Amino acid sequence: MLSRKSRKRIADYLTYIVLILFGAIVVIPFLWMILSSFKDAGEIWTFPPVFMPKKFQWSNYRDAWNALPFDRFLFNSIIVTVCVTIGQLFTCSLGGYAFARLRFPGRDKIFLLYLATMMIPFPVMMIPLFIIMRTLGWIDTLTALIVPGLFSAWGTFLMRQYMLGIPKALEDAARIDGCSYWRLYWNIIVPLCKPVFATLGIFTFMGTWNQFFWPLIMINTISAKTLPLGLVMFQARIAAETPWHLIMAASCAIVLPIIVLFIIGQKYYVKGIVMSGIKG
Amino acid sequence: MIRREFLKIIGQLGIGAYGLSIPGCGNADKAVQQKYLTFEVKYPQTEWTMGVIDPNIGGAFKIMSWESAFQFKKWNRIIDTFFKLYYPNIKVQIDWGVSFGNYNTKLPVLLAGGSPPDLVWMHDTRAKAFSSIGLLQKLDPFIEKFNPKGWPEEYYPTQIESFQYKNYQYGFPYDYATGGLYVNLEMYKDIDEELPNENWTFDDLLRVGKKLTKGNKQFGLNLGNEANVGYQYWIIRSFGGDWFNKELTESKFNLPETIAAYQWISDLRWKHKVAPMPEVTQGRPQPFVDGVVAIDFNLGAPQFGDLLEDKFDWTIAPTPRGESGRFQFVGGSALSIPQKATHKHIAFELIRYMLSNPENLEIIGGMGRMFVSRMSMYKYGLPKGKLATKMSNFKHVFYDLARQDGVVVPYIQKYQEWDDICRRNLELLYFGEERSSKKVCLRLHDATSRWLEKLNS
């Protein structure tokens, strides 16, 4: 008969083994991408696949970067992502505050209606949205990528739910001191909402950085392309003609900001998953 | 202070992003919109321009292509020269490097959303789908007024046919992709057989395939490419079968010959075990390159050859003939003009300049290593150097025989929709869930008949 301590230790070991296995499932494709970014074109197609490159081709990174204007793609991606993230934080927090704290006729119905927009699949909205962008003259501009991304029903929901948990007494005290709605929002609510700002910020940043389909439809010229669009420019119609080694090198470079952000905001990311109920 | 800075940054970034997009906003072309096609000559004509459009016209000319960064270089060179010479004030906007799958998602949105490019790349599998719903411009009036050099007698008849719908031309073919056999000579030397030739029958090929198969390690034949239903059409025709009648109104999957052809394909894997099993082909895009298959059906793209160059000794050979004769897979792509394009005349002039000018065809063929659509220019698509030695019969296999026996795959309108139905049924055969092609083909016949009835109603 094993002691309680030993049983606990065995259970811990088993848990670690399972976690390591799951971790490996997640990490191996990523590792594969990194190692493939150092292979030459022929090695990519070798079967059975070779994990380690025979010789590390550092030049893949240089070649990928020089083959296309990746500096421009990077710049566009940064502009779009930063604007959308900041914009969405601003609009969602204002919306969330209004739905959580202000009293006005039809508030909850409007909120439900806003939430209902999340149920409309994007392909249904694609052509009407495209026509709106065309009418505004925004096709092939970064504005077309930024403006529709500034508002999010999900972000507003997240903010509202968080703000509902802030004690009303704080607001009441500020109101007695003569705070306007704007000042209440800015001086009381925003500082207390830092965790949810971080969560929504990380989700929005990652979502926008990786966004592919909408930019694909909207952007036509190379100078306005973002990183994910730039990446597929390597892809040829015949798979064998695609320089996968360069794609892997460019992918590694693209994913770097996301990794840095994830490392910095890991705590909030996990918190966000808990708060929003989103699971992978 | 911090919050003030925060607001300042929002403002600056917002204005910055808007400012950046301003030049792009100018892309919305407000140049002359041509509602009706007119061919009134008002300006000096040149060898490559009709004289209908003012050479000093401004605005933007939009092109959309699925070619990759590397493939597009050749087109860029020619497009650049054309506009510098004939329309120097036009700003060319090229949306290239959109992968093939994404291209076919994006193009319909642009066309339906009222923002069509002036010139688009068109694949034979999609041409009828686009032209049947009026999204593409008929090229016939242009061809009549400003006949491209050598048209039509010097162009592959199969490629011209591929881009026709109800006898109108909707695409100007630019390449010619044909199918053949790739043979691993290192495996082949172990058997006492001649290399396949165009007079071989399917039985000859099967006999050799059996000799070349070594259990689960080496497979003799890989002909039935389940990833592409169209790649098997030549086999069906060789057996005397077909998919549809000539008018594309009836299914022919109930023909005994069609059933026999699919049975032959299925038996390669499940009865004779000469074709690689699904577990071998899945996750292995090029089983021949990996040295698991001795004889493989593939297109004559010399790029494929590059991968094999130093791996093992190999060559190419023609596909066999069936009881109904010899049929060879041919396919390709074209350039088309959207129905609502702004600069239709210029688009046609550019097509004519790119695809009928021998100087440009040399660039397109040489840099793309492909047969261009003008038959007499085949030499530019022939492999060079070491590959030319390996594939000394390249012209015979992929050009001469294809011209003689090439068969157009009936890419019916809404082909993608039918392709799904077809694939769902044929997969039962490919993956061994059903061994009798008769059952599968009759099921597919019913499904196709219903689909055709709906299509034609």
Side-chain angles (χ1 to χ4, degrees):
Chain A
M1 188 69 180
L2 291 168
S3 68
R4 199 175 158 183
K5 203 175 166 185
S6 307
R7 268 183 295 165
K8 193 181 173 295
R9 193 173 293 165
I10 291 169
D12 283 349
Y13 284 141
L14 285 173
T15 311
Y16 282 125
I17 290 169
V18 171
L19 287 176
I20 287 168
L21 281 175
F22 276 105
I25 291 169
V26 176
V27 169
I28 286 172
F30 192 72
L31 207 60
W32 183 263
M33 177 181 81
I34 295 172
L35 290 170
S36 296
S37 72
F38 293 107
K39 290 177 185 170
D40 64 33
E43 263 185 299
I44 296 269
W45 291 99
T46 312
F47 200 92
V50 186
F51 206 61
M52 288 299 285
K54 270 184 205 157
K55 193 183 162 198
F56 276 73
Q57 306 285 340
W58 292 94
S59 57
N60 286 351
Y61 281 81
R62 187 197 57 213
D63 294 345
W65 198 263
N66 292 337
L68 291 165
F70 270 96
D71 47 351
R72 182 76 207 181
F73 301 156
L74 179 71
F75 181 70
N76 291 339
S77 275
I78 291 172
I79 290 293
V80 172
T81 310
V82 170
C83 288
V84 169
T85 307
I86 294 173
Q88 212 177 98
L89 287 178
F90 185 64
T91 60
C92 290
S93 60
L94 273 181
Y97 175 62
F99 285 125
R101 286 286 189 252
L102 304 189
R103 284 185 187 173
F104 54 91
R107 182 187 72 173
D108 293 344
K109 281 177 190 151
I110 294 171
F111 180 61
L112 275 177
L113 201 68
Y114 194 29
L115 279 191
T117 60
M118 284 167 69
M119 287 178 219
I120 304 170
F122 182 68
V124 176
M125 298 192 294
M126 195 168 63
I127 292 181
L129 202 55
F130 181 88
I131 293 170
I132 293 171
M133 293 296 127
R134 196 198 68 201
T135 313
L136 292 169
W138 287 354
I139 287 179
D140 208 19
T141 69
L142 297 182
T143 318
L145 307 187
I146 295 167
V147 175
L150 293 180
F151 314 95
S152 154
W154 177 77
T156 308
F157 168 76
L158 200 72
M159 287 286 181
R160 176 189 178 264
Q161 296 310 101
Y162 192 87
M163 286 172 187
L164 282 174
I166 297 172
K168 209 159 178 305
L170 290 170
E171 275 181 79
D172 292 339
R175 292 290 292 273
I176 291 165
D177 287 343
C179 267
S180 64
Y181 281 124
W182 174 254
R183 207 152 174 80
L184 262 176
Y185 161 78
W186 197 243
N187 288 61
I188 308 293
I189 300 293
V190 170
L192 290 171
C193 285
K194 274 181 193 160
V196 75
F197 265 76
T199 306
L200 182 61
I202 290 169
F203 274 108
T204 310
F205 188 95
M206 288 169 81
T208 314
W209 186 264
N210 293 323
Q211 203 183 29
F212 176 74
F213 195 62
W214 182 241
L216 170 80
I217 303 294
M218 292 312 302
I219 301 298
N220 303 323
T221 44
I222 193 164
S223 59
K225 290 200 177 192
T226 54
L227 281 170
L229 291 183
L231 204 58
V232 295
M233 290 183 82
F234 283 120
Q235 232 171 329
R237 188 153 56 92
I238 299 166
E241 291 176 16
T242 302
W244 290 107
H245 56 307
L246 299 188
I247 291 190
M248 294 297 168
S251 302
C252 287
I254 285 171
V255 92
L256 208 65
I258 292 288
I259 294 171
V260 171
L261 188 81
F262 183 78
I263 292 167
I264 296 168
Q266 225 187 119
K267 190 174 77 182
Y268 295 109
Y269 187 79
V270 175
K271 213 171 186 175
I273 290 170
V274 175
M275 262 177 9
S276 60
I278 295 172
K279 291 179 185 120
Chain B
M1 188 64 188
I2 291 167
R3 279 188 286 282
R4 194 173 298 158
E5 275 174 15
F6 173 65
L7 276 174
K8 204 172 149 189
I9 290 167
I10 290 178
Q12 282 172 346
L13 286 172
I15 292 163
Y18 186 69
L20 274 171
S21 65
I22 294 292
C25 287
N27 296 344
D29 188 26
K30 300 282 191 291
V32 188
Q33 295 271 346
Q34 304 218 0
K35 284 187 184 169
Y36 305 103
L37 279 180
T38 54
F39 291 95
E40 196 188 334
V41 178
K42 293 182 196 163
Y43 307 96
Q45 286 178 307
T46 70
E47 192 183 359
W48 301 106
T49 54
M50 290 185 261
V52 175
I53 304 294
D54 181 0
N56 295 314
I57 190 175
F61 185 88
K62 299 174 193 168
I63 301 173
M64 192 175 157
S65 162
W66 60 60
E67 300 275 20
S68 70
F70 301 103
Q71 285 289 321
F72 206 78
K73 279 180 190 164
K74 58 178 182 278
W75 299 103
N76 233 339
R77 230 166 99 175
I78 300 165
I79 293 165
D80 208 40
T81 312
F82 175 81
F83 281 97
K84 268 185 191 152
L85 283 174
Y86 303 111
Y87 298 101
N89 298 328
I90 278 200
K91 192 182 164 199
V92 184
Q93 290 174 4
I94 307 173
D95 187 4
W96 52 277
V98 179
S99 67
F100 186 66
N102 292 325
Y103 180 89
N104 288 304
T105 307
K106 181 171 178 172
L107 184 61
V109 178
L110 295 190
L111 299 183
S115 183
D118 294 296
L119 181 68
V120 296
W121 260 235
M122 187 52 58
H123 198 243
D124 54 5
T125 54
R126 267 82 172 174
K128 283 189 178 63
F130 280 103
S131 41
S132 66
I133 51 171
L135 291 176
L136 298 182
Q137 168 68 44
K138 285 175 191 160
L139 298 183
D140 305 71
F142 293 101
I143 292 172
E144 201 181 299
K145 293 280 175 192
F146 201 40
N147 196 258
K149 292 180 193 246
W151 183 272
E153 61 283 357
E154 263 201 53
Y155 292 78
Y156 299 99
T158 50
Q159 297 321 99
I160 294 177
E161 190 190 330
S162 292
F163 294 94
Q164 283 178 346
Y165 177 69
K166 292 191 174 171
N167 294 324
Y168 287 107
Q169 198 69 37
Y170 285 93
F172 198 103
Y174 73 72
D175 70 347
Y176 187 55
T178 72
L181 301 176
Y182 284 73
V183 182
N184 183 322
L185 289 174
E186 286 173 24
M187 293 176 183
Y188 216 85
K189 70 181 179 202
D190 296 339
I191 61 165
D192 188 25
E193 290 281 355
E194 276 178 26
L195 281 172
N197 63 57
E198 62 272 28
N199 294 317
W200 272 34
T201 63
F202 283 86
D203 287 339
D204 292 329
L205 201 62
L206 177 60
R207 188 190 70 243
V208 167
K210 283 178 180 171
K211 285 186 181 181
L212 288 164
T213 302
K214 290 178 182 170
N216 277 332
K217 288 189 175 165
Q218 182 179 308
F219 297 90
L221 295 173
N222 186 36
L223 296 191
N225 187 337
E226 60 239 24
N228 191 327
V229 177
Y231 277 2
Q232 295 172 342
Y233 186 69
W234 63 275
I235 304 179
I236 314 304
R237 291 296 302 273
S238 304
F239 274 74
D242 213 327
W243 288 349
F244 313 107
N245 63 349
K246 210 177 170 190
E247 295 75 31
L248 303 177
T249 51
E250 281 174 28
S251 161
K252 289 289 173 193
F253 277 91
N254 59 344
L255 282 180
E257 292 84 359
T258 310
I259 295 170
Y262 279 109
Q263 191 63 57
W264 189 84
I265 294 169
S266 167
D267 286 349
L268 287 180
R269 180 178 270 172
W270 302 108
K271 186 178 171 189
H272 307 299
K273 301 190 186 305
V274 296
M277 294 294 158
E279 59 268 23
V280 177
T281 50
Q282 278 172 359
R284 182 183 262 147
Q286 304 282 3
F288 181 72
V289 180
D290 297 332
V292 214
V293 163
I295 300 176
D296 188 52
F297 171 81
N298 220 310
L299 301 186
Q303 270 84 355
F304 182 68
D306 283 355
L307 289 168
L308 303 165
E309 208 171 351
D310 296 318
K311 286 197 163 182
F312 48 78
D313 201 10
W314 60 276
T315 191
I316 50 168
T319 46
R321 65 173 60 242
E323 281 171 19
S324 282
R326 190 174 178 281
F327 293 86
Q328 185 163 343
F329 174 88
V330 295
S333 304
L335 299 181
S336 292
I337 304 172
Q339 179 63 43
K340 289 184 181 170
T342 308
H343 299 294
K344 289 181 184 175
H345 293 82
I346 300 177
F348 182 75
E349 287 169 349
L350 179 60
I351 290 176
R352 190 176 171 275
Y353 176 74
M354 289 200 285
L355 301 178
S356 73
N357 182 345
E359 284 172 26
N360 292 333
L361 290 171
E362 183 174 356
I363 297 171
I364 295 168
M367 284 174 78
R369 293 186 292 178
M370 63 185 193
F371 288 133
V372 289
S373 56
R374 203 168 162 182
M375 291 187 282
S376 56
M377 311 287 160
Y378 72 87
K379 58 186 176 207
Y380 302 129
L382 294 176
K384 293 175 184 75
K386 212 171 163 183
L387 276 174
T389 324
K390 266 191 195 304
M391 299 191 277
S392 53
N393 52 348
F394 191 90
K395 179 177 173 276
H396 177 66
V397 173
F398 290 115
Y399 176 76
D400 295 332
L401 288 172
R403 272 187 69 181
Q404 184 187 297
D405 302 324
V407 59
V408 176
V409 180
Y411 294 119
I412 193 168
Q413 60 185 104
K414 295 196 179 178
Y415 174 77
Q416 299 306 314
E417 201 178 292
W418 179 76
D419 184 74
D420 281 345
I421 297 170
C422 187
R423 199 182 293 257
R424 270 203 305 273
N425 283 280
L426 290 178
E427 272 178 2
L428 297 172
L429 271 184
Y430 299 148
F431 297 114
E433 281 179 51
E434 182 56 71
R435 302 290 166 89
S436 157
S437 72
K438 193 174 178 180
K439 275 189 188 171
V440 172
C441 285
L442 291 180
R443 220 175 104 163
L444 183 52
H445 174 70
D446 288 342
T448 303
S449 300
R450 279 197 302 275
W451 183 80
L452 284 171
E453 207 179 301
K454 205 174 119 193
L455 184 76
N456 295 314
S457 65

